[in-house]
Coordinates of all heavy atoms in Angstrom, one line a residue:
I6 N 58.7 32.4 22.2 CA 58.5 33.7 22.9 C 57.2 33.6 23.7 O 56.4 32.6 23.5 CB 58.5 34.9 21.9 CG1 57.2 34.8 21.1 CG2 59.7 34.9 21.1 CD1 56.9 36.1 20.3
S19 N 62.9 27.7 8.4 CA 63.8 26.9 7.6 C 65.2 27.4 7.5 O 66.1 26.7 7.2 CB 63.2 26.7 6.1 OG 63.1 28.0 5.5
R44 N 31.9 13.8 31.8 CA 31.7 12.4 31.2 C 30.3 12.0 31.1 O 29.5 12.2 32.1 CB 32.5 11.4 32.1 CG 32.5 10.0 31.5 CD 33.3 9.1 32.4 NE 33.3 7.7 31.9 CZ 32.4 6.8 32.1 NH1 31.3 7.1 32.8 NH2 32.5 5.6 31.6
D45 N 29.9 11.6 29.9 CA 28.5 11.1 29.7 C 28.4 9.7 30.3 O 29.1 8.8 29.8 CB 28.2 11.0 28.2 CG 26.8 10.6 27.9 OD1 26.3 9.7 28.6 OD2 26.2 11.2 26.9
P98 N 40.6 28.4 24.0 CA 40.8 26.9 23.9 C 39.6 26.1 24.3 O 38.9 26.6 25.3 CB 42.0 26.7 24.8 CG 41.9 27.8 25.8 CD 41.4 29.0 25.1
Q127 N 58.1 23.8 2.4 CA 57.1 24.4 3.4 C 56.3 23.3 4.1 O 56.1 23.3 5.3 CB 56.2 25.4 2.7 CG 56.9 26.7 2.3 CD 55.9 27.6 1.5 OE1 55.3 27.2 0.6 NE2 55.8 28.9 2.0
A141 N 56.4 17.3 22.4 CA 56.4 18.2 23.6 C 55.1 18.0 24.4 O 55.1 17.9 25.6 CB 56.5 19.6 23.2
V148 N 48.3 15.0 29.7 CA 47.9 14.7 28.3 C 47.9 13.2 28.0 O 48.9 12.5 28.3 CB 48.8 15.4 27.3 CG1 48.6 14.9 25.9 CG2 48.7 16.9 27.4
P168 N 45.1 30.1 6.2 CA 45.5 28.7 6.2 C 46.1 28.3 7.5 O 47.2 28.7 7.8 CB 46.4 28.5 5.0 CG 46.9 29.9 4.7 CD 45.8 30.8 5.1
F177 N 42.3 12.5 27.9 CA 41.7 11.2 27.9 C 41.9 10.6 26.4 O 42.3 11.4 25.5 CB 40.2 11.2 28.1 CG 39.4 12.2 27.3 CD1 39.1 12.0 26.0 CD2 39.1 13.5 27.9 CE1 38.4 12.9 25.3 CE2 38.4 14.5 27.1 CZ 38.1 14.2 25.8
R181 N 36.9 7.6 19.3 CA 37.2 6.9 18.1 C 38.5 6.1 18.2 O 38.5 5.0 17.7 CB 37.4 8.0 17.0 CG 37.6 7.5 15.6 CD 37.6 8.6 14.6 NE 37.8 8.1 13.2 CZ 36.8 7.7 12.4 NH1 35.6 7.7 12.8 NH2 37.1 7.3 11.2
A191 N 40.9 -7.2 19.8 CA 40.1 -8.4 19.5 C 40.7 -9.2 18.3 O 40.7 -10.4 18.3 CB 38.7 -7.9 19.2
A229 N 34.8 0.7 3.8 CA 33.5 1.1 4.3 C 33.6 2.6 4.6 O 33.4 3.1 5.8 CB 33.2 0.4 5.6
Y234 N 33.9 11.5 -0.2 CA 35.3 11.3 -0.6 C 36.2 11.3 0.6 O 36.3 12.3 1.3 CB 35.7 12.4 -1.6 CG 35.0 12.3 -2.9 CD1 33.8 12.9 -3.1 CD2 35.5 11.6 -4.0 CE1 33.1 12.8 -4.3 CE2 34.8 11.4 -5.2 CZ 33.6 12.0 -5.3 OH 32.9 11.9 -6.5
T289 N 37.9 22.5 -2.4 CA 37.1 21.5 -1.7 C 37.2 21.6 -0.2 O 38.3 21.6 0.3 CB 37.5 20.1 -2.1 OG1 37.3 20.0 -3.6 CG2 36.7 19.0 -1.4
V300 N 49.1 8.2 24.5 CA 50.5 8.3 25.1 C 50.8 7.1 25.9 O 51.9 6.6 25.9 CB 50.6 9.6 25.9 CG1 52.0 9.7 26.6 CG2 50.3 10.9 25.1
R301 N 49.9 6.6 26.7 CA 50.2 5.6 27.7 C 49.4 4.3 27.4 O 49.1 3.5 28.4 CB 50.0 6.1 29.1 CG 51.1 7.0 29.6 CD 50.8 7.7 30.9 NE 49.9 8.8 30.7 CZ 50.2 10.1 30.3 NH1 51.5 10.3 30.0 NH2 49.3 11.0 30.1
D303 N 48.6 0.5 26.6 CA 49.3 -0.7 26.8 C 49.8 -1.3 25.5 O 51.0 -1.8 25.4 CB 48.5 -1.8 27.5 CG 48.2 -1.4 28.9 OD1 49.0 -0.6 29.5 OD2 47.2 -1.9 29.5
L312 N 46.7 9.3 8.5 CA 46.0 10.5 8.3 C 44.7 10.2 7.6 O 44.7 9.4 6.6 CB 46.8 11.5 7.5 CG 46.2 12.9 7.3 CD1 47.2 14.0 7.5 CD2 45.6 13.0 5.9
E331 N 22.9 9.4 10.9 CA 24.3 9.7 11.3 C 24.4 10.4 12.7 O 25.1 9.9 13.6 CB 25.0 10.6 10.3 CG 25.2 9.9 8.9 CD 24.0 10.1 8.0 OE1 23.0 10.6 8.4 OE2 24.2 9.7 6.8

Side-chain angles (χ1 to χ4, degrees):
I6 69 168
S19 57
R44 184 177 181 276
D45 185 320
Q127 289 174 308
V148 172
F177 51 79
R181 188 174 177 86
Y234 290 90
T289 301
V300 180
R301 285 170 283 278
D303 292 337
L312 182 140
E331 291 89 353

